[in-house]
Amino acid sequence: MWSWITVAFIVLFAIFLLYPLLGILKQSVISREGRFTFQEFVKFFSQPYYSNTIINSFKVTIAITLATLVIGIPFSYFFTFYRLRGAKLLFVVSILCAMSAPFIGAYAWILLLGRSGVITQFFKNFLGINIGSIYGFGGITLVQSLKLFPLVFIYMNGAFKNIDSSLMEASANLGCVGIKRFFKVVLNLSMPTILAASLLVFMRAFADFGTPLLIGEGYRTFPVEIYNQYLGEVGTDHNFAAAISVIAITLTALVFFVQKWATSKYKFSMNALKPIEKKPAKGIKGFFMYAYCYILVAIAFLPQIYVVYLSFRNSEASVFKDGYSLSSYRAAVDKLLWRSINNTLLLGIGSLAIIIVLSILIAYLVVRRPSTVNNSIDTVSMLPYIMPGSVIGIAMVVAFSRPPIVLTGTMAIMIASFVIRRMPYSIRSANATLMQIPLSIEEASISLGTSKLKTFVKITVPMMSNGIISGAILSWVSIVTELSSSIILYNNRNITLTMSAYVAISRGSYGLACAFSAILTLLTSLSLLLYLYISKSEDIKI
Amino acid sequence: MKRFSKLTAMLLAIMLAIAILPLSATGTQEKPAAAEGALEKELVLYSSMTENDLTNLIKLFNAKYPDVKVEVVNGSAGELTARITAEKYRPQGDLMWGGLSNSDGMVYSEIFEHWLTEYEDEIMPDYRSNNGFYSLDHLSTIVFCVNTELEKELGIEIKGYKDLLNPKLKGKIVMPDPNSSSSAWNNVCNMMAVYGNDSPEVWDFIQKFLSNGVVISTSSSVAFKSVHTGEYVVGLTYEDGASTLLKSGATNIRMVYPEEGASASAFGCALIKGAAHPNAAKAMINFLMSAEGQSELGTALETLRFTNSKAVYDTKYLPASSEIKWVSRDIDWLIENKRQVLDHWNTIYASIHK
């Protein structure tokens, strides 16, 4: 029976992953006349208009990665090494920031710091200072750093907790304490985690689409360019967009391998026998720690609060007026609000169901029945990790917009892209969960006469359920806030809340956009609170 | 334990159902059930027009055809045509309105039905369909949308293109991307008409213009709405967008027709090939092209100039045609050279934004 499942996976992956990928590859080198050519690549690299976008993307992504490390590591240090009041609150709120819909932050910052933003106007009218504009490089860095630093925070919490206090004491005995010890000992010990967190932030920031789209203005980044070129295509060929997609995959793969290589240089694992005891945060030092943590989290969370607030303000013709009402929500009802919510739930649950089944089965194949074929299924399932969302969207269109399989405009194509995008993460976490379950329990069940299938269903799956449920909620949140491939695949039938919010923002219907965003924020916040309640742990796996 | 296995079974069932769903969907392509001529109950309209245009059109259309439920998918011209192309073998939309202009030529001939209304003879000669599948219903003249408060603050008066080169406006001019927005391409066409097609003068102007920190926005509506909200001083946009703001009571903006000359593109609608609701779509296109429809819509909107010579309406929010200095554009040249003009534009843009 398991061999049949292996075959089923080979077929599924061939159709939904390899076929689209090959489709993109083919389109990038075969011209519309059917000739083999590198002209699209030549066009990209010979015209600075296009090739600059790579440099721009790398510049801004490196800036974001550094910024998140600089913000996130001290935050995590204070959090794990000191007893702070309201630590739980800090934790929950920073998770909420990290998991919010990717473009709502950008949009809210425009409302706050744009040329006519509230804060900009305040500075201009009351203090006579022109604080300039948020758009471009600075804006992208600000928005993304504030959104992504919690990832560093979560990763570093894990690393810091595993530092044995004897190491810290040894360092103190040798006269290395305070800031010196932080740089010489603590940071060095957590280097593998720092690299892992950097990669995660780098990948997220590099592939991010919503933020530069809204706030980038003249600063053109690579994922946005993929989307623009896809839209700019004339006729039925997507050759240039396909070529850019291939370049994107190559670049992210490169980054992935560089990080792998860097991590292998720091191959050691730690497990604290005697974890560090939290010290109370006192005195002037304590004051600054509190100030740092609370102000940081407040600034990061501000945009979401502000959007919810604005959703209740009166608005007319893209300007917010005095007074409060539900008019924005009423307008949202006219703009397919119910269908958007319905679709979001339906697509979310459907994709989630598939992801769960998929990751349980693949984990079982890889961990319990390792073979060359099963291991290559595992490797292939990691491919989407290096594919930016817009590339997946275009790959879906290239593969499924023409016979033999036509899926464009359906729910199925949305589900396929959600599953593909999320799969690498959930399979990884299912693998890890299953590896921790001793084989002896399943063997006991089988030796007592239970069939293999029954053992799998009644013993293995329930034992994996804890890890799977918490992973599933995180998948759920990232599915309902997905923008970069849905923007290519959606239409009026399969539109989601995220897309409705995006359409409203891009059309300049600001009140409406706030209403949609507020509902989306509410949905993701509730899901995350549920997650934190169920998992009861501070080790969130993203 | 028992409950969990039930859950697993359910999940498996859902997965199976979803896996099978698309297969069956490809086999049985939905056929319009209605007999020839009978209106379907639904209509999916892909449009880049403003909210004001769409609500009024749907209201008037429904007054005439109360049983057709109209749904709208919004987006820029490039976005919508890309969607229609992607959905070619499984059309989701029925017609597209707006963003399709007489300067497009034949590029989209594969995704639209070659069909025109019987009103074609009544249309002003200049604006009859030049490709056989666009029905051109309205005109879109380029304008600058200017924020009067900010203009006064800067102490300048914007009259035409040369004023856009004023260093005081650095970073304060917004324009959509001509690569994807039809209204931005319309503006580039007007620059060509004013300074001469592909002339050294026009590229010299564009070089200086883009060097003056022009911001390229992602959507056409941003170019007038964000001038209204005070993000920018000037937006290069089109009459209908800017005048809709005036209609909704905006007092801080004005429309400037460049003193060097203004020109218009004719924009229209087209039936999507293989539309699921062709009769309702044709009814809407007929409505948009008829003197009756254009008179009703024109009266309701007061912000749009139409093409049917028999249409009667009042454009309260637009200046009389005689007050504007017009230039004429060479449409055939623009169709022929669109790619090359955009490439040149992009090269200049890239050389400035290093």
Side-chain angles (χ1 to χ4, degrees):
Chain A
M1 143 153 182
W2 284 104
S3 348
W4 284 110
I5 291 182
T6 306
V7 173
F9 274 122
I10 294 174
V11 173
L12 270 181
F13 280 7
I15 297 176
F16 287 103
L17 201 55
L18 299 178
Y19 175 55
L21 258 178
L22 286 177
I24 275 212
L25 206 58
K26 190 181 135 205
Q27 288 247 318
S28 68
V29 290
I30 307 282
S31 73
R32 62 194 76 174
E33 293 84 30
R35 272 184 309 110
F36 180 86
T37 165
F38 283 116
Q39 65 182 26
E40 307 293 340
F41 291 92
V42 172
K43 179 177 170 192
F44 184 88
F45 286 107
S46 63
Q47 296 187 20
Y49 181 75
Y50 303 117
S51 52
N52 281 351
T53 56
I54 294 189
I55 300 165
N56 280 351
S57 268
F58 268 104
K59 268 199 272 185
V60 78
T61 308
I62 290 169
I64 292 165
T65 312
L66 290 178
T68 53
L69 292 178
V70 170
I71 308 174
I73 293 177
F75 182 41
S76 168
Y77 183 74
F78 301 149
F79 185 83
T80 32
F81 285 66
Y82 294 88
R83 214 175 298 126
L84 300 174
R85 276 172 216 279
K88 190 106 200 162
L89 180 76
L90 288 174
F91 181 77
V92 171
V93 174
S94 51
I95 301 292
L96 289 183
C97 297
M99 304 297 284
S100 64
F103 57 92
I104 291 179
Y107 171 55
W109 281 111
I110 292 176
L111 295 173
L112 288 165
L113 279 176
R115 293 184 191 81
S116 60
V118 193
I119 299 177
T120 320
Q121 288 300 316
F122 174 82
F123 272 91
K124 200 169 138 200
N125 296 340
F126 293 95
L127 305 170
I129 306 168
N130 196 343
I131 55 173
S133 96
I134 184 189
Y135 297 93
F137 180 85
I140 303 175
T141 313
L142 172 84
V143 172
Q144 282 290 79
S145 312
L146 285 176
K147 187 181 144 56
L148 295 174
F149 83 87
L151 300 184
V152 175
F153 167 67
I154 292 159
Y155 266 60
M156 294 313 290
N157 287 353
F160 287 158
K161 257 185 232 153
N162 281 332
I163 294 179
D164 199 291
S165 59
S166 60
L167 290 170
M168 301 292 279
E169 282 158 20
S171 152
N173 288 340
L174 292 169
C176 178
V177 286
I179 293 196
K180 204 170 155 202
R181 179 172 68 181
F182 174 75
F183 281 106
K184 287 221 152 178
V185 179
V186 178
L187 280 193
N188 265 325
L189 284 173
S190 22
M191 203 40 103
T193 314
I194 295 181
L195 288 173
S198 309
L199 176 72
L200 187 73
V201 171
F202 191 97
M203 288 295 204
R204 291 268 179 120
F206 190 81
D208 180 49
F209 169 76
T211 313
L213 184 68
L214 290 181
I215 217 168
E217 281 193 345
Y219 199 82
R220 298 163 58 250
T221 68
F222 200 57
V224 177
E225 196 52 30
I226 296 176
Y227 171 70
N228 282 341
Q229 285 312 318
Y230 167 71
L231 295 186
E233 297 276 329
V234 168
T236 52
D237 298 289
H238 300 304
N239 304 57
F240 191 51
I244 304 188
S245 304
V246 171
I247 298 168
I249 296 174
T250 317
L251 283 177
T252 41
L254 220 64
V255 172
F256 180 74
F257 288 119
V258 166
Q259 190 269 353
K260 278 256 144 154
W261 172 79
T263 315
S264 69
K265 301 237 134 193
Y266 289 91
K267 212 155 196 175
F268 55 85
S269 67
M270 281 191 304
N271 224 337
L273 294 171
K274 211 172 124 219
I276 290 152
E277 234 173 83
K278 290 194 178 193
K279 284 180 280 189
K282 278 190 297 205
I284 187 86
K285 238 166 75 183
F287 170 78
F288 279 114
M289 279 181 211
Y290 273 108
Y292 180 81
C293 295
Y294 276 91
I295 291 175
L296 176 64
V297 167
I299 292 176
F301 199 51
L302 178 71
Q304 300 193 43
I305 307 258
Y306 188 59
V307 164
V308 174
Y309 160 76
L310 283 182
S311 72
F312 294 105
R313 278 273 298 271
N314 284 329
S315 76
E316 200 194 310
S318 71
V319 179
F320 289 103
K321 300 263 157 86
D322 288 333
Y324 301 89
S325 72
L326 291 176
S327 62
S328 296
Y329 289 91
R330 248 173 266 132
V333 172
D334 288 337
K335 287 275 166 198
L336 303 178
L337 174 67
W338 300 124
R339 187 183 296 170
S340 306
I341 294 181
N342 247 336
N343 283 347
T344 303
L345 298 179
L346 213 67
L347 290 171
I349 293 171
S351 319
L352 204 56
I354 297 179
I355 290 174
I356 292 175
V357 175
L358 224 82
S359 35
I360 293 178
L361 293 178
I362 290 187
Y364 192 86
L365 286 178
V366 174
V367 177
R368 292 290 188 252
R369 305 174 62 88
S371 71
T372 324
V373 180
N374 289 346
N375 289 344
S376 34
I377 289 182
D378 187 46
T379 311
V380 171
S381 74
M382 277 300 282
L383 274 178
Y385 188 72
I386 53 163
M387 294 166 71
S390 29
V391 172
I392 294 180
I394 291 173
M396 290 281 119
V397 168
V398 166
F400 301 122
S401 66
R402 66 195 70 182
I405 309 174
V406 183
L407 295 178
T408 32
T410 61
M411 298 289 251
I413 201 168
M414 295 284 260
I415 291 182
S417 84
F418 289 157
V419 171
I420 291 172
R421 285 211 70 187
R422 193 58 207 175
M423 199 168 58
Y425 302 92
S426 61
I427 291 179
R428 218 93 327 253
S429 93
N431 278 358
T433 312
L434 188 57
M435 265 184 236
Q436 282 161 11
I437 299 172
L439 189 60
S440 52
I441 300 177
E442 286 157 63
E443 283 170 346
S445 159
I446 291 169
S447 66
L448 287 172
T450 318
S451 74
K452 277 189 175 174
L453 178 68
K454 206 168 174 191
T455 304
F456 173 71
V457 175
K458 297 239 159 179
I459 307 288
T460 318
V461 172
M463 290 217 305
M464 291 172 74
S465 64
N466 240 351
I468 287 167
I469 289 176
S470 51
I473 297 176
L474 292 183
S475 296
W476 161 261
V477 172
S478 59
I479 289 169
V480 300
T481 56
E482 210 280 343
L483 173 75
S484 49
S485 64
S486 338
I487 196 170
I488 288 169
L489 302 173
Y490 91 99
N491 70 6
N492 61 317
R493 303 242 160 264
N494 56 16
I495 193 163
T496 60
L497 264 179
T498 304
M499 283 317 305
S500 288
Y502 171 76
V503 171
I505 294 174
S506 74
R507 305 252 312 155
S509 315
Y510 298 148
L512 189 63
C514 284
F516 276 116
S517 304
I519 296 171
L520 192 60
T521 305
L522 184 75
L523 184 69
T524 49
S525 304
L526 286 179
S527 313
L528 281 166
L529 292 177
L530 180 72
Y531 167 82
L532 293 171
Y533 177 76
I534 289 180
S535 68
K536 286 198 176 67
S537 97
E538 289 182 355
D539 294 326
I540 188 165
K541 290 194 182 61
I542 293 189
Chain B
M1 293 261 164
K2 197 153 195 187
R3 256 187 56 219
F4 199 88
S5 64
K6 263 189 192 157
L7 185 72
T8 328
M10 206 178 75
L11 293 181
L12 270 167
I14 294 176
M15 181 188 169
L16 262 175
I18 290 166
I20 291 169
L21 195 81
L23 295 177
S24 59
T26 46
T28 53
Q29 183 68 265
E30 241 180 275
K31 275 267 172 315
E36 188 66 31
L39 288 196
E40 299 85 0
K41 300 264 177 236
E42 259 181 88
L43 180 61
V44 181
L45 169 61
Y46 283 23
S47 181
S48 61
M49 302 294 281
T50 66
E51 225 45 58
N52 179 46
D53 298 330
L54 288 165
T55 21
N56 278 297
L57 170 70
I58 293 170
K59 204 168 81 191
L60 295 168
F61 182 76
N62 276 340
K64 199 166 175 198
Y65 305 104
D67 295 331
V68 182
K69 192 174 170 294
V70 184
E71 274 187 19
V72 181
V73 175
N74 293 124
S76 69
E79 196 182 329
L80 293 172
T81 46
R83 251 178 241 302
I84 298 171
T85 308
E87 296 163 356
K88 202 166 104 182
Y89 290 95
R90 198 184 167 77
Q92 305 288 310
D94 298 312
L95 79 152
M96 175 163 163
W97 181 39
L100 305 172
S101 96
N102 54 353
S103 58
D104 287 350
M106 299 298 290
V107 283
Y108 300 124
S109 65
E110 280 187 31
I111 52 173
F112 293 115
E113 207 74 64
H114 287 247
W115 174 86
L116 296 172
T117 66
E118 60 205 76
Y119 300 104
E120 207 55 27
D121 300 338
E122 296 176 12
I123 304 300
M124 297 173 204
D126 279 354
Y127 306 121
R128 289 187 190 146
S129 182
N130 58 347
N131 60 16
F133 52 100
Y134 286 6
S135 297
L136 303 166
D137 65 288
H138 68 275
L139 301 180
S140 186
T141 308
I142 61 101
V143 291
F144 305 162
C145 181
V146 176
N147 185 309
T148 47
E149 290 161 4
L150 297 173
E151 190 186 22
K152 206 186 282 167
E153 233 172 72
L154 291 176
I156 54 172
E157 199 195 345
I158 296 158
K159 289 184 193 152
Y161 284 115
K162 64 172 185 343
D163 299 312
L164 299 181
L165 305 181
N166 190 331
K168 283 185 180 171
L169 284 173
K170 195 156 188 124
K172 290 174 174 153
I173 305 172
V174 64
M175 173 179 177
D177 185 353
N179 291 289
S180 62
S181 153
S182 57
S183 80
W185 172 242
N186 197 5
N187 270 282
V188 176
C189 291
N190 196 63
M191 292 174 191
M192 293 289 155
V194 165
Y195 290 100
N197 290 337
D198 211 17
S199 62
E201 290 79 18
V202 76
W203 293 117
D204 180 55
F205 169 76
I206 288 173
Q207 170 83 40
K208 287 178 182 151
F209 170 68
L210 287 176
S211 302
N212 205 17
V214 171
V215 171
I216 302 293
S217 71
T218 41
S219 105
S220 323
S221 27
V222 167
F224 49 90
K225 287 191 177 171
S226 56
V227 169
H228 176 39
T229 57
E231 287 258 328
Y232 306 97
V233 182
V234 192
L236 269 64
T237 179
Y238 58 110
E239 261 183 346
D240 184 31
S243 57
T244 302
L245 287 177
L246 292 174
K247 188 185 174 192
S248 71
T251 51
N252 64 341
I253 57 159
R254 67 188 181 99
M255 292 195 289
V256 174
Y257 295 78
E259 60 182 359
E260 293 91 344
S263 62
S265 260
F267 281 85
C269 45
L271 179 63
I272 294 171
K273 217 172 230 178
H277 314 107
N279 297 331
K282 283 181 182 172
M284 184 171 268
I285 297 175
N286 272 319
F287 182 80
L288 279 168
M289 297 304 287
S290 67
E292 178 205 353
Q294 294 195 356
S295 306
E296 284 180 20
L297 192 56
T299 308
L301 293 175
E302 305 175 292
T303 58
L304 211 53
R305 302 179 208 263
F306 288 92
T307 56
N308 192 312
S309 52
K310 293 183 182 164
V312 189
Y313 55 95
D314 178 30
T315 47
K316 193 167 125 194
Y317 297 95
L318 301 179
S321 189
S322 56
E323 290 170 24
I324 302 165
K325 185 189 170 196
W326 296 97
V327 285
S328 62
R329 45 170 94 165
D330 183 348
I331 291 172
D332 295 329
W333 185 88
L334 291 165
I335 293 173
E336 189 74 22
N337 294 286
K338 182 171 182 179
R339 187 68 261 162
Q340 177 245 324
V341 169
L342 285 175
D343 278 344
H344 199 157
W345 172 280
N346 291 344
T347 311
I348 294 178
Y349 185 90
S351 71
I352 295 162
H353 295 260
K354 275 204 182 108

